[in-house]
Amino acid sequence: MTTTTRTERTVLDDARDQLAEAVKILGLPADVHAMLAEPRRELSVSIPLRRDDGSIEVLRGYRVQHNYSRGPGKGGVRFDDAVDLDEVRALAMWMTWKCALLDVPYGGAKGGVRIDPRRYSIAELERVTRRYTSEIAPIIGPEIDIPAPDIGTDERTMAWMMDTYSVGRGHTVLGVVTGKPIALGGSQGRAAATSRGVVAVSLEVLHHLGIRPEGATAAVQGFGKVGRGAARFLAEEGLRVVAVSDVDGAISHPDGLDLPALEAYVDETGSVVGFPGSSPISGEEVLAAEVDLLVPAAVEGVIHAGNAEAVRARVIVEGANGPLSADADRILGERGVLVVPDILANAGGVVVSYFEWVQANQSYWWTEAEVNEKLVDRMTHAWRDVLVYATERHLSLRLAATCMAVERVWRAHEVRGLYP
């Protein structure tokens, strides 16, 4: 019998290693890692889709609930052709730490469908979303697990999910998902929350390093939900965003890109490629740009052992989940590059998702100014807490943030006790 050995590391390996190191530093019992490394519940579902031409295609979807010791599960749903179960497991674990670190009363969850949404019509995506929702409906709900948008999904996707779930319950359930349209109980400020949180933390980090935002330079890898807003807000704060990229290519301008004009161009063409007045560059050149601040805001693993030495930014603020591999994290740390981890940097989305859930449960909505003020306050306090923890214990920001989060989750689990 022939056996094969997997040698390539996955994001789940990185997530579990981060947990193991935090458990060791905290001096917790050895069995804590075994308990927290495994999801509490996971579901894999088949999604048959009738295409517009009448043919049938079968897709695969997942929902993983990593931990709910501190509250119901919370995490996005992504539509991406690279989605697999290990990726969803890792993302669900990171959501657990993210919620604990920001002191949001949720546990971590994540979902996904293996599909490239660009290859499907709106009608087909609606059918996929509704079938996926009906399949995972038994394990989601406003007091069980609350999905939200992620890569490849948006507020329209959440509207379809909320409607499908509500039809099954016989009444409207606004709190079953977050990131919904305003007309369906969505929160002001939710669409830009992750981007705004990334920028709030970025400004704190620059201040910590004595770098004035006015005239500082930035590069943003990814020009989707997170990267686009982050680039705009950074420019509004006075930074020169000199390079950006999307899935189709990358552009640069040494004096800073005109972000309002670029956004209008992307709305018209669908890509940053060919933006008038910019120079075409490669995606790797964006990551290697000589800037004060680099925001990787696309997918996991874009900075790895093969390209970490080329990174020249002074600060990296992780807009995406897991954009640095463990090897890259080590290499950059040894070089003195300050890395703000994803579970802190991009937590703005889950913070405002929590605000949306609270508002839906109360049937009382806040103004955008109130939401943004509460978000920035939560993000800046979390940054300062992590910085103090890291400084006092001589840890990296990632290890400090993970230790703080793991300790909070374990404390909740310990107080609740282990059900026989």
Side-chain angles (χ1 to χ4, degrees):
M1 183 176 67
T2 302
T3 60
T4 57
T5 302
R6 190 192 67 172
T7 59
E8 185 179 350
R9 287 185 60 83
T10 67
V11 290
L12 182 59
D13 293 325
D14 287 346
R16 286 175 170 166
D17 286 352
Q18 291 166 13
L19 170 62
E21 195 164 4
V23 167
K24 180 179 179 181
I25 290 170
L26 292 168
L28 297 175
D31 54 8
V32 171
H33 177 266
M35 186 174 296
L36 295 181
E38 294 298 323
R40 292 287 296 272
R41 181 185 292 152
E42 54 188 37
L43 180 63
S44 175
V45 299
S46 171
I47 306 170
L49 166 66
R50 187 180 299 279
R51 299 294 301 265
D52 291 340
D53 63 5
S55 63
I56 302 295
E57 180 177 350
V58 180
L59 305 170
R60 177 59 54 182
Y62 308 98
R63 188 68 184 174
V64 173
Q65 295 164 351
H66 172 254
N67 187 280
Y68 30 84
S69 293
R70 300 182 73 253
K74 188 78 186 79
V77 173
R78 60 175 50 181
F79 284 7
D80 187 85
D81 58 0
V83 165
D84 62 31
L85 187 53
D86 276 356
E87 176 190 62
V88 178
R89 286 166 172 159
L91 294 169
M93 184 185 300
W94 282 326
M95 278 300 301
T96 297
W97 314 143
K98 189 180 299 184
C99 292
L101 184 64
L102 273 291
D103 201 21
V104 172
Y106 289 139
K110 204 74 176 185
V113 177
R114 192 182 303 144
I115 181 175
D116 181 353
R118 297 173 299 175
R119 294 180 48 243
Y120 295 79
S121 70
I122 298 300
E124 289 170 336
L125 291 174
E126 180 175 359
R127 291 196 286 273
V128 169
T129 302
R130 291 186 181 276
R131 182 58 181 255
Y132 170 71
T133 305
S134 68
E135 293 289 343
I136 68 169
I139 65 168
I140 64 172
E143 297 175 341
I144 305 171
D145 179 5
I146 308 107
D150 200 277
I151 294 170
T153 58
D154 54 21
E155 64 176 22
R156 178 172 57 190
T157 316
M158 295 304 105
W160 293 333
M161 291 192 72
M162 188 276 287
D163 181 68
T164 304
Y165 183 88
S166 297
V167 168
R169 294 299 180 271
H171 62 93
T172 298
V173 187
L174 294 178
V176 66
V177 296
T178 59
K180 303 181 297 297
I182 299 295
L184 294 178
S187 174
Q188 297 285 346
R190 173 59 184 89
T194 304
S195 304
R196 197 174 294 278
V198 165
V199 172
V201 171
S202 297
L203 294 175
E204 288 288 320
V205 178
L206 293 176
H207 175 75
H208 170 66
L209 295 177
I211 302 172
R212 291 177 56 83
E214 298 82 4
T217 53
V220 179
Q221 184 259 342
F223 206 71
K225 288 188 188 71
V226 180
R228 177 170 171 163
R232 182 198 323 136
F233 296 144
L234 288 169
E236 289 175 357
E237 293 291 339
L239 283 87
R240 285 187 291 124
V241 180
V242 298
V244 301
S245 65
D246 62 18
V247 68
D248 297 312
I251 58 172
S252 70
H253 194 297
D255 296 328
L257 295 159
D258 182 340
L259 267 300
L262 176 58
E263 290 194 79
Y265 178 82
V266 171
D267 288 340
E268 181 181 347
T269 68
S271 174
V272 303
V273 175
F275 177 59
S278 69
S279 300
I281 59 175
S282 69
E284 285 296 315
E285 288 177 285
V286 174
L287 297 173
E290 191 168 356
V291 290
D292 296 302
L293 171 67
L294 172 63
V295 179
V299 295
E300 307 92 64
V302 295
I303 302 177
H304 45 76
N307 63 7
E309 290 287 359
V311 173
R312 293 182 289 172
R314 294 181 62 183
V315 178
I316 297 176
V317 176
E318 295 186 326
N321 290 313
L324 274 66
S325 72
D327 288 337
D329 209 31
R330 175 184 51 78
I331 292 168
L332 291 166
E334 291 172 352
R335 290 179 46 205
V337 177
L338 188 63
V339 177
V340 182
D342 46 8
I343 63 171
L344 170 60
N346 66 31
V350 74
V351 169
V352 178
S353 279
Y354 168 56
F355 294 163
E356 179 179 332
W357 180 72
V358 169
Q359 292 170 83
N361 289 340
Q362 295 178 337
S363 296
Y364 181 82
W365 279 264
W366 307 333
T367 66
E368 184 171 359
E370 289 175 315
V371 171
N372 291 341
E373 181 182 2
K374 294 175 189 294
L375 166 62
V376 172
D377 181 70
R378 186 73 69 111
M379 296 297 296
T380 54
H381 274 83
W383 153 255
R384 292 166 190 172
D385 288 346
V386 171
L387 181 61
V388 169
Y389 192 100
T391 302
E392 290 178 346
R393 292 162 178 79
H394 306 289
L395 301 173
S396 69
L397 293 174
R398 188 183 310 281
L399 258 180
T402 305
C403 286
M404 289 175 66
V406 169
E407 188 172 21
R408 289 174 181 176
V409 172
W410 175 247
R411 188 181 302 128
H413 181 83
E414 193 174 34
V415 170
R416 289 180 62 153
L418 184 63
Y419 185 73

